[in-house]
Amino acid sequence: MSLEQIAGLLADRSRAAFCMALLDGRAWTAGELARHAGISPSTASEHLSLLVAGGLLSEERQGRHRYVRLAGPATAALIEDLAAYSSSYSSSRSAPGPAPSSLRESGRMSAEARARTCYDHLAGHLGVAVTDAILSRGLVADDAGLVVTKAGRVWLLTELDIDLLALKGSRPMVRSCLDWTERRTHLAGAVGAALCKRVFDRHWVERIGSGRALKVTPEGGRAFQELLGIDVRMGP
């Protein structure tokens, strides 16, 4: 698909809203996305068909329900990078970002800035803090591109039961992802995804409602402090 075709797909406000919502890494129904964007189900279905045909989304049907998700990590990286670029561009021109439309929306945006998922890895203040700690401890080196060090391989295996040999596949082992709220990088790639899965499995973080925002559990707060030396108390 050409650049102008991809740009055209994402130029629509509703389609862009769908893609941003799907950065939580989960499958949404067409009805859920329609309510999220504030449009009719029939209009949402038309938009989703275009996104699926364009390769940005994948879909599956279960009974009368149509579920869609981002097509993969590369698509998620594209959406997050565009969001980060948009945020940085507005900041450089002293233009205000989108204002929350309600107190509830303001709370959601604040929670997502503190901690959220970015497709299948950690983002927001939490994701950046974890990344900073991993880099400062030499678990990942950033000499000529990110790479997991020998100490990092041992740490991942012994502390989190993450075996790098089991992660080998088509996606990068580790890469940086520009965080659009922090305007700094957080950890992505296969290692970032495995780390995110592990903190969910161990109940160190929980979702707030049905969105992308996360909260750190008391157990998680202790674990992040003991394993990485970071204080993740980021408000209510």
Side-chain angles (χ1 to χ4, degrees):
M1 198 171 195
S2 67
L3 177 60
E4 60 266 31
Q5 288 174 313
I6 295 174
L9 284 173
L10 295 175
D12 180 86
R13 184 185 299 272
S14 295
R15 292 196 291 269
F18 291 171
C19 291
M20 286 295 292
L22 291 166
L23 275 175
D24 68 359
R26 295 176 294 176
W28 288 48
T29 66
E32 289 169 337
L33 288 170
R35 289 191 293 273
H36 174 77
I39 59 178
S40 69
S42 60
T43 301
S45 182
E46 293 174 4
H47 285 311
L48 291 174
S49 293
L50 291 173
L51 291 168
V52 171
L56 295 179
L57 302 185
S58 62
E59 70 173 340
E60 61 181 87
R61 295 181 182 271
Q62 292 185 7
R64 63 186 182 88
H65 293 294
R66 180 190 195 186
Y67 290 89
V68 296
R69 64 174 72 245
L70 292 179
T75 303
L78 170 65
I79 302 302
E80 185 77 4
D81 286 347
L82 287 173
Y85 180 84
S86 174
S87 177
S88 297
Y89 179 78
S90 297
S91 176
S92 68
R93 295 178 62 87
S94 300
S101 58
S102 64
L103 183 61
R104 180 179 181 181
E105 177 73 2
S106 177
R108 180 191 64 77
M109 292 172 64
S110 178
E112 287 185 356
R114 288 195 297 270
R116 67 181 183 278
T117 52
C118 173
Y119 189 56
D120 61 1
H121 51 273
L122 299 173
H125 181 78
L126 174 63
V128 170
V130 168
T131 301
D132 285 347
I134 285 174
L135 286 168
S136 67
R137 281 162 172 70
L139 305 176
V140 170
D142 190 13
D143 299 326
L146 294 180
V147 61
V148 181
T149 64
K150 180 179 179 180
R153 291 195 295 272
V154 172
W155 183 83
L156 286 167
L157 185 60
T158 58
E159 299 292 349
L160 297 176
D161 195 27
I162 296 175
D163 184 359
L164 263 61
L165 293 177
L167 300 182
K168 288 187 175 180
S170 59
R171 68 190 300 188
M173 185 62 67
V174 59
R175 70 171 186 85
S176 62
C177 181
L178 183 59
D179 195 290
W180 66 272
T181 53
E182 292 289 303
R183 295 172 190 168
R184 298 176 58 211
T185 57
H186 57 247
L187 201 64
V191 170
L195 177 62
C196 182
K197 182 178 185 304
R198 190 63 74 239
V199 301
F200 269 107
D201 290 344
R202 296 187 177 182
H203 305 290
W204 294 351
V205 297
E206 297 175 345
R207 292 194 184 275
I208 300 175
S210 60
R212 298 171 61 194
L214 306 174
K215 66 177 179 180
V216 179
T217 66
E219 182 182 2
R222 291 190 294 272
F224 285 121
Q225 178 66 54
E226 292 171 2
L227 291 178
L228 294 170
I230 56 177
D231 185 351
V232 292
R233 293 175 297 176
M234 297 173 288

